[in-house]
Amino acid sequence: MRQGEGEAISTVEQAIDLISVVKEIHGLNSQELNKLLRDSENFTIHFVTEKGLDIDVEKLAGFLPLHLIAVLVSSDRDEALLRYLLCGIRILHSLCELAPRHTKLEQILLDDVKVSEQLIDLVFYVLIVLNDYRQDIHDSGPVPVLLSALVACSFYLLTGCISSQWQDLALVMVAHPKVDMFMDVACRAIHLVVRFLQNKLSVQHIEICVKSSSTTESMVNYLCQQCEASLQFLQLLCQQKPFRERLLKNKELCGKGGILFLAQSILKLHAPDFAESSAIVAALSRLKAKVLSILLHLCEAESISYLDEVASSPASLDLAKSVAFEVLELLKTGLSKNPKHLSASSDRTYPMGLLQLNAMRLADIFSDDSNFRSYITVYFTEFLSAIFSLSHGDFLSMWCSADLPVREEDATLYYEVFAAAGWALDSVSSSDLSNTSNLEFTFIPNSNMSQASYVHQRTSLFVKIIANLDCFVPNICEEQERNLFLHKFLGCLLMDPSKLLPSYAFITGPQKASAVQRNLRSLLSHAESLIPTFLNMEDLQLLRVFFDNLQLLMNPSEFEENRVQDDRSLGGCSSLLLRREPPNLNNRNGNLKEEMSENSAFQEEHFYVRNSHMDQADGVTRRDMIDDKDKSITPSGLKEIDRDVQNVETSGSDTSSTKGKNAVDKLAERQRENADVREDEKVETVQTEEKHRRKRKRTIMNDEQVTIMERALLDEPEMQRNTALIQSWADKLSHHGSEVTCSQLRNWLNNRKARLARLSKDARPPPEPDNAFAGKQGGPQQGHSLSAPDSPGQETTPSNTRGTRSMSRMNTSENPVAPEFVDYGAAEFVQCKPGQFIVLVDGRGQEIGKGKVHQVQGKWWGKSLEESGSCVVDVVDLKADRWVKLPYPSESTGTSFEDAEKKLGVMRVMWDSNKIFMLRPQ
């Protein structure tokens, strides 16, 4: 403490006894203080006590923050200190509430920078000191109550003295030089409060035998309220981008798992002895929903990948997986309850928070991350298989309905510092809590989400989780993850689902296979109705692939009860993969709905059959074909296949494939032999469908939103480098469909860029002159699509997004000399139309950039487009250097890309039509 400040405290204590004032007037709320001030003269109130106190409120407001800091530094760490600090903070909060009504108080508490800094320092020091009380974690006395109240009251003092607007408060906190210290001690203090609550819940069954059950319930309910208020303070700050971005840079909390420790403690809170108390049950549910919300905000941040930070060390990664496990357990518990059987336990209902929805959102994120996908597959697949084993009626009401009997409601607790502090002080002063009335806070509903919107979000997340688990991205996913979910799911279907979903009805026996397929078919049909508002086409396609693959591998007869026992004794799911007869594609009326995904993962040979039920949409199934193509699947051969699949299931390695081929490969070979489709028809659509599922995405954008972004990228081609611009467009897009976050839009931009780079690389004309002239011998063609390779044997590009980006950069940086546009005569002509998205190449077939056709006919700055065989394009993503010379230089339109942008405002250039390749819409 500075010397001048110490002298100031001494001076004011000569005028008023601050300690006596704090102890006497803390019971006056802001309305009572306001009445005394109106009746006073010179801002001095007379408070009637044994001694009689004349209190100069102006001096009290100016010196009380510094006085409390001095007491905090010099006093012993005991119950008396906690009680006194709580009294002082209670007075300060009342004065802050009065400030807008009294100019003098406003000038001191809100406008005086020095006092404001002292108030912030007071909160910081209180939180630091409270962390010294960790040894009292098992204290059954007044310390847990006082400390819990003091943490929450200190937090909300900041809203009174700085700003009640969270965005303003976040900016002030981030600008504070000790913000990292504040984040650290704040999380530690909240964790300490959670541990006090956890201890109270664990020992309450002993106390309930000694004390009144209502007394114990009141104490537990109060601790829940204080814990929720403190956590809510952190949650509301994390909703603000500046605070969230700064928190992500805190190594202790993010890199070393501080937030995860807090989340783990909260998710493990249970109160079985208070199952009949709707207030406590709801409070614990809201606590868990709020901490999941904090994790969601961190995971969705755009500047730093929270999950990458967590995965940076084995210890924090293991901790994150334990949190993921708790999230999955929450989902299992919540989804296992049949809402038709739920009934209210009391007359009053409390908001439960979006616990289930937030848990599903986190499960979606975890299952889409390569560090967690296998973990989620191992611990959640059995529950997913149980859901699909439900009777059709229960499955429809659970996932394919626009209505649910019970729906989660989110709300913000309106925390009242004066009332909360008063209850704590009264409870520790009274030997009998039965004389203390229960404390009730108001809840403010957070959103007006409709019932249908809630249910549709829930179903869309369910679909996304399945799509994530079944998706396999080479060079990103581990090889042992290939088909892991499909095999695990098949094995789990043999298990008894009634233990996981005890309140539901199931189909068993030979009918189970058809029941599972029927439920999946209904989910597919319902998911189509959720596009594009709640779901994107990619997730639907992956779900369809999973369904089709499952159909190929399921054998209904294997669900007979006697066979189930045999299968389990043999070690798992492999018998599910056996069919007594190989699938006959010709018996499906020539219409088989097949889709391709990376998880089907067999990439050398392809086949496809048109599906009239999907508007003749191209559908593809890819398979790696085995070398012994002439072999057929015989009954004796199936046993060998079964052993190979068991090896894959248990080891997850390539060992089994060196011994033989797995059952999926064999089935794929048989399908290929039975499919009477010409080779050239196979190739026509394979590559387009292959590229649709190269990379999982987390964004939900409808056609209108995509169109808006494509137009915006013409004016802002470098948008992905501008975070503020991305945030602005994310806000705009949210008005044209489902909400789009900044991180989702950034991912969409990155995925779009990578996808276009892959497509353009696949479609580049061969650089060798011989191949180029050979292409010309085949005669001119009307259009060249980037969705298919030039020949059936052409290999596809690896789908590692990062690798593709680096290759595209190498293509433009390896040759620093401006490329000369020499045509080797190879390119195929494209019938360009305005608005089409295209890729520009030079005469060597090297990609120059991507853009959009602007003009195809008439004259442009005096040059005839028809005569020159060119068109005008707006370059969106330039791969070449900006100083590269244009093929049609002009003083009016520019001689280089950079010059054209300066002269025209956009990078608009003339380009030869035979060096343009069209991008088909995704």
Side-chain angles (χ1 to χ4, degrees), residues 512-529:
K512 184 174 182 179
S514 59
V516 171
Q517 293 177 19
R518 186 184 182 190
N519 287 339
L520 261 168
R521 193 178 295 111
S522 297
L523 181 63
L524 268 170
S525 177
H526 181 63
E528 289 178 1
S529 67

Side-chain angles (χ1 to χ4, degrees), residues 166 191 669 708 710 728 731 900 921:
W166 292 97
H191 195 191
E669 180 184 9
I708 291 172
E710 295 292 358
S728 174
D731 296 338

Side-chain angles (χ1 to χ4, degrees), residues 464 530-539 697-710 713 729-730 733-734 736-741 744-749 752:
K464 284 174 175 292
L530 302 182
I531 296 174
T533 306
F534 298 97
L535 205 60
N536 59 34
M537 183 59 71
E538 184 188 28
D539 294 307
K697 295 177 286 188
R698 296 176 186 165
T699 183
I700 303 176
M701 286 175 61
N702 58 34
D703 292 340
E704 182 184 1
Q705 290 171 320
V706 171
T707 302
I708 291 172
M709 282 310 304
E710 295 292 358
L713 287 170
W729 277 104
L733 290 176
S734 298
H736 298 273
S738 59
E739 181 183 0
V740 179
T741 66
Q744 287 174 327
L745 182 55
R746 184 186 294 276
N747 287 340
W748 182 87
L749 291 169
R752 174 185 177 276

Side-chain angles (χ1 to χ4, degrees), residues 671-710:
Q671 290 167 347
R672 177 175 174 272
E673 292 171 353
N674 290 339
D676 186 15
V677 183
R678 296 180 309 172
E679 187 69 21
D680 54 341
E681 290 179 334
K682 299 176 192 177
V683 177
E684 180 181 352
T685 59
V686 166
Q687 296 300 320
T688 300
E689 291 296 293
E690 182 180 359
K691 292 171 182 60
H692 278 308
R693 284 168 291 279
R694 290 284 195 177
K695 175 72 176 174
R696 294 291 300 120
K697 295 177 286 188
R698 296 176 186 165
T699 183
I700 303 176
M701 286 175 61
N702 58 34
D703 292 340
E704 182 184 1
Q705 290 171 320
V706 171
T707 302
I708 291 172
M709 282 310 304
E710 295 292 358

